[in-house]
Amino acid sequence: MAQQNASTVVPSGETQKVLSKPWFSQTVIPSNAPIPQKSVESLPESYYTRFFSAIALKRKPSAIRGLFPLEKTPGLISLLAGKPNAATFPFESLTFKARSPINPDEVLELTVPDADLKQGLQYSDTAGMKPLLDWLFGLQEYFHGRKREEGWRISVGSGSQDLIYKAVNALVNPGDPVLVESPVYAWVLTIGYA
């Protein structure tokens, strides 16, 4: 068994290392992977509005969530609701073992350090945690040549059902016909009854 650090693999039995980078930033990208160089042009945002459902067009941003960016103002003491004092969290770190994505016979021991754990236990920005979003944008740019400023974005959700439901809700009106493949993920068929 080995333990993974941000840049090294250490045999178990030696001093435990704490990840200095988020776990998702450690994905190995093959050195021979192609790097696309093309740029993508996007249509104006108003073009896509016609595809939204009536429910999506009526949706307004959360007023409380809209205040979250103000919390980052230097010197500001935030009294926003639902933000527990991180010093009261009972956890100091989280350590778990996982099978290596590269070598299934190898088990890695990973530790989420205190600062990352405290951030993970708090409410985060609606779009997702910035380090994770940065990594996902970097992944898209590396493998697909998509640049952040090209008019697209990434949505992070709590699972496939959550994201499928939100996508269908944003694009399909009640009574609209929907064509699905067969066989289909069974849960998808229940969306029409929600």
Side-chain angles (χ1 to χ4, degrees), residues 4-7 19-28 110 135:
Q4 175 125 358
N5 183 282
S7 59
L19 298 175
S20 60
K21 295 181 181 178
W23 61 269
F24 45 80
S25 67
Q26 298 179 45
T27 301
V28 176
L110 305 166
W135 183 84

Side-chain angles (χ1 to χ4, degrees), residues 61-186:
S62 164
I64 292 175
R65 289 269 179 184
L67 295 173
F68 279 4
L70 297 175
E71 275 191 309
K72 296 176 179 131
T73 304
L76 180 78
I77 297 174
S78 173
L79 299 177
L80 281 175
K83 298 287 259 187
N85 181 347
T88 64
F89 294 154
F91 308 107
E92 292 192 18
S93 69
L94 178 65
T95 301
F96 60 96
K97 295 178 182 179
R99 195 171 319 283
S100 168
I102 298 167
N103 178 2
D105 296 328
E106 184 179 8
V107 176
L108 305 173
E109 187 171 278
L110 305 166
T111 297
V112 179
D114 185 50
D116 291 343
L117 188 58
K118 285 179 179 175
Q119 181 185 10
L121 293 173
Q122 289 286 1
Y123 290 106
S124 63
D125 294 335
T126 302
M129 296 173 68
K130 186 176 179 343
L132 175 60
L133 287 171
D134 289 343
W135 183 84
L136 291 169
F137 275 112
L139 183 72
Q140 292 301 311
E141 183 172 349
Y142 186 86
F143 282 107
H144 304 291
R146 301 293 311 268
K147 302 230 183 309
R148 225 178 186 161
E149 58 276 356
E150 291 175 336
W152 62 282
R153 58 176 264 195
I154 293 175
S155 295
V156 177
S158 60
S160 63
Q161 290 183 1
D162 174 54
L163 290 169
I164 291 169
Y165 178 80
K166 288 176 179 173
V168 170
N169 188 268
L171 300 171
V172 179
N173 286 305
D176 282 353
V178 176
L179 182 65
V180 295
E181 63 185 348
S182 179
V184 65
Y185 178 40

